Amino acid sequence: MTATTAKYLVTGASGQLGALAVGALLAKVPAAQVIALVRRSEAAAPLEAKGVEVRIGDYADPASLEKAFAGIDRLLLISSSEVGQRAAQHKNAIDAAKKAGVGFIAYTSILHADTSPLGLATEHRETEAALAASGVPHALLRNGWYTENKTGSIAPAVEHGAYPGAAGDGRISSATRADYAEGAVAVLTADTVENGAVYELAGDTSYSMQDFAAAISEAVGKPVAYADMSETDFAGVLEGAGLPAPFAALLADSDAGTAKGALEDNSKTLSGLIGRPTTPWSETVAEAVKQQKAA
């Protein structure tokens, strides 16, 4: 099956990354070749408006996945958002894809999953192992941090004049979700991809959280400092802001991993895939501030 005639399916197609991946895919292939998987029928309308076939399936329901994957040649398996259940859910998807005869799976893993100290990496490593054991041709899209993960906290940082964290001097090579979506589609639609190929995907330039806070300051025209603290204290700050304790601990762990270099990568693999520089993180900061002011 060639890239020009393949049937493509994107899981999590109504999510933030999935919706962008569908859009990037439609820029490369006709809508008749694109299928979107969503969990709930009410999520179908925006995708169907683009001429895309929508199928219903749930990572926790293997039978629904096998039915949804019927006739699919190439599958973009976007990782589940349900941390703690991901490994089992992804295994369901991989098994269903194999039973349905899917010819290729591209999976959104995490940067340097094999060596990452982040707690988030554990289930990605388990999924990578399941893919290898499945025998289904596949590629690993090891995504770095989304810049939006950081811009989402700009408003409280501006309000308090401080952006808290536990990243120390660690550097982050982030890119936008749209950049990663475009990279995923580049792999998904490539004429040939080596089985088991690993793509370490990250932004072209890295920054420290001190740099990030300075960029916020410049964009808003008032002082915002980076407030570094211990992992435990940062988790406490996040809980105090209303986050559930497990999620707060996960974010604090990710910051602690950042301090160890877990989110830095200088390979520029992502910009190579998409054929352009990744979106500068400082531009994403400025745009986020602009949108908040407009709101």
Side-chain angles (χ1 to χ4, degrees), residues 147 174-176 179 204-205 207 276-286:
T147 309
S174 70
T176 62
D179 291 339
D204 287 347
T205 58
Y207 54 89
R276 60 169 176 80
T278 57
T279 307
W281 62 270
S282 56
E283 284 187 12
T284 307
V285 169

Side-chain angles (χ1 to χ4, degrees), residues 205-229:
T205 58
S206 66
Y207 54 89
S208 68
M209 287 309 300
Q210 289 86 349
D211 297 331
F212 198 83
I216 297 172
S217 293
E218 182 176 352
V220 299
K222 62 178 287 188
V224 177
Y226 174 58
D228 195 53
M229 58 191 69

Side-chain angles (χ1 to χ4, degrees), residues 70-276:
I72 298 303
D73 300 298
R74 300 185 180 189
L75 169 66
L76 176 57
L77 177 55
I78 293 180
S79 58
S80 164
S81 60
E82 297 180 79
V83 176
Q85 301 177 51
R86 284 173 156 179
Q89 291 179 345
H90 297 161
K91 180 70 162 52
N92 287 342
I94 294 164
D95 290 346
K98 184 173 183 176
K99 288 179 182 177
V102 172
F104 175 74
I105 300 173
Y107 168 65
T108 60
S109 186
I110 196 169
L111 191 65
H112 304 302
D114 52 340
T115 59
S116 176
L118 269 60
L120 277 173
T122 302
E123 290 184 296
H124 288 297
R125 282 193 287 269
E126 292 173 4
T127 303
E128 290 187 7
L131 277 167
S134 73
V136 179
H138 64 278
L140 304 177
L141 309 172
R142 288 181 171 170
N143 288 353
W145 228 230
Y146 305 138
T147 309
E148 292 92 339
N149 289 349
K150 293 298 184 184
T151 58
S153 298
I154 285 178
V158 172
E159 180 184 350
H160 298 291
Y163 196 118
D169 295 324
R171 301 190 70 79
I172 302 169
S173 307
S174 70
T176 62
R177 285 192 182 91
D179 291 339
Y180 288 110
E182 199 174 321
V185 167
V187 173
L188 195 68
T189 59
D191 287 333
T192 57
V193 177
E194 181 184 352
N195 183 25
V198 177
Y199 298 87
E200 302 289 357
L201 304 176
D204 287 347
T205 58
S206 66
Y207 54 89
S208 68
M209 287 309 300
Q210 289 86 349
D211 297 331
F212 198 83
I216 297 172
S217 293
E218 182 176 352
V220 299
K222 62 178 287 188
V224 177
Y226 174 58
D228 195 53
M229 58 191 69
S230 71
E231 179 180 348
T232 301
D233 287 346
F234 183 39
V237 168
L238 294 172
E239 283 189 60
L243 293 185
F247 188 50
L250 192 72
L251 292 179
D253 171 82
S254 297
D255 252 37
T258 301
K260 299 172 185 174
L263 297 179
E264 184 176 16
D265 180 87
N266 300 310
S267 67
K268 297 190 177 181
T269 304
L270 179 53
S271 55
L273 277 178
I274 63 180
R276 60 169 176 80

